[in-house]
Amino acid sequence: GPSSSEGAGKVSLLKKVPALKDGDFTLAECTAILLYLSRKYNTPDHWYPSDIQKRARVDEYLSWHHANIRASAPKTMWIKVLIPLFTGQPLPSEKLQEVMEGLSTSLKHFEERFLQDKAFIIGSEISLADLVAIVELMQPVGVGCDIFEDRPRLREWRRRVEDAVGKELFFQAHEMILNIKELSNIQIDPQLKEQLAPVLMKMLK
């Protein structure tokens, strides 16, 4: 998301995080960063396949993801933890219900259109599409909204992603998300609260 820090402005012209600095080259947007790293370091082909049609399927999911899963899943974290932390006021339960309804629709489309009866989004092997999806979908879990509980197909897909990545690395990567509720106990600098509160509220509109 947006960052007002001086450091972010030096790395990213968009002043957003995440951002990558590789020598003199800088890059913003997480998807662009993932694709850049996969090409630079010649990662195993299944992450971003050389086969043009499989690669197009990864691109298709990544394009869909931003306006659907990403448009809903992170908002659960903002509503339940971040906005109350920075504003000092909880949001009405109706707001979370609205977000969860939108997320439920996106998850239905995810299962029916992308996952179908496959092991992973583009077939029998994990790809960047699965990584981008799982990171977003672990955010509701971190604030107590277990979206996998009543969705066996989605739950099995998550298990396969964990196994493919390695359980230790998987939970290490999601450690901050899964412990996000602990932030409610920390003290926030008043000036930082003043800067970030309106930004977070704007994200929910």
Side-chain angles (χ1 to χ4, degrees), residues 61-109:
Y61 176 77
L62 295 177
S63 297
W64 177 86
H65 174 87
H66 287 278
N68 293 276
I69 299 294
R70 177 162 287 173
S72 299
K75 289 182 179 179
T76 59
M77 189 168 58
W78 304 340
I79 290 170
K80 296 198 73 174
V81 177
L82 297 180
I83 289 179
L85 179 64
F86 283 97
T87 65
Q89 298 291 329
L91 288 174
S93 58
E94 292 82 5
K95 191 65 183 177
L96 179 62
Q97 182 179 350
E98 177 186 329
V99 167
M100 291 303 293
E101 288 172 357
L103 179 56
S104 181
T105 299
S106 292
L107 291 175
K108 184 175 185 292
H109 292 162

Side-chain angles (χ1 to χ4, degrees), residues 20-191:
L20 170 75
K21 189 173 190 302
D22 184 15
D24 295 330
F25 179 71
T26 60
L27 187 65
E29 300 296 340
C30 61
T31 301
I33 291 169
L34 280 174
L35 297 179
Y36 172 79
L37 292 174
S38 71
R39 291 163 177 150
K40 175 171 181 176
Y41 292 103
N42 192 28
T43 54
D45 190 70
H46 62 85
W47 290 113
Y48 195 49
S50 54
D51 178 277
I52 190 171
Q53 292 187 354
K54 289 182 178 180
R55 178 170 289 196
R57 290 299 181 200
V58 174
D59 293 339
E60 179 183 43
Y61 176 77
L62 295 177
S63 297
W64 177 86
H65 174 87
H66 287 278
N68 293 276
I69 299 294
R70 177 162 287 173
S72 299
K75 289 182 179 179
T76 59
M77 189 168 58
W78 304 340
I79 290 170
K80 296 198 73 174
V81 177
L82 297 180
I83 289 179
L85 179 64
F86 283 97
T87 65
Q89 298 291 329
L91 288 174
S93 58
E94 292 82 5
K95 191 65 183 177
L96 179 62
Q97 182 179 350
E98 177 186 329
V99 167
M100 291 303 293
E101 288 172 357
L103 179 56
S104 181
T105 299
S106 292
L107 291 175
K108 184 175 185 292
H109 292 162
F110 176 79
E111 289 187 279
E112 294 178 353
R113 298 180 183 180
F114 292 97
L115 196 53
Q116 299 176 359
D117 59 352
K118 304 189 297 287
F120 298 100
I121 292 175
I122 66 163
S124 60
E125 293 185 289
I126 193 171
S127 72
L128 290 181
D130 299 282
L131 282 190
V132 169
I134 196 65
V135 168
E136 222 77 67
L137 294 179
M138 291 301 290
Q139 294 183 43
V141 175
V143 293
C145 302
D146 192 347
I147 57 173
F148 299 98
E149 186 176 12
D150 298 322
R151 295 180 174 88
R153 179 164 36 171
L154 197 67
R155 187 170 62 246
E156 286 302 303
W157 165 77
R158 172 188 163 174
R159 180 189 59 76
R160 289 190 292 269
V161 172
E162 286 182 21
D163 290 343
V165 171
K167 288 187 180 295
E168 183 178 352
L169 179 57
F170 181 90
F171 285 102
Q172 181 182 345
H174 293 97
E175 182 177 6
M176 184 176 292
I177 290 173
L178 294 175
N179 293 307
I180 193 74
K181 287 191 285 188
E182 293 181 7
L183 285 180
S184 59
N185 299 320
I186 68 173
Q187 297 295 317
I188 304 295
D189 180 85
Q191 185 176 0

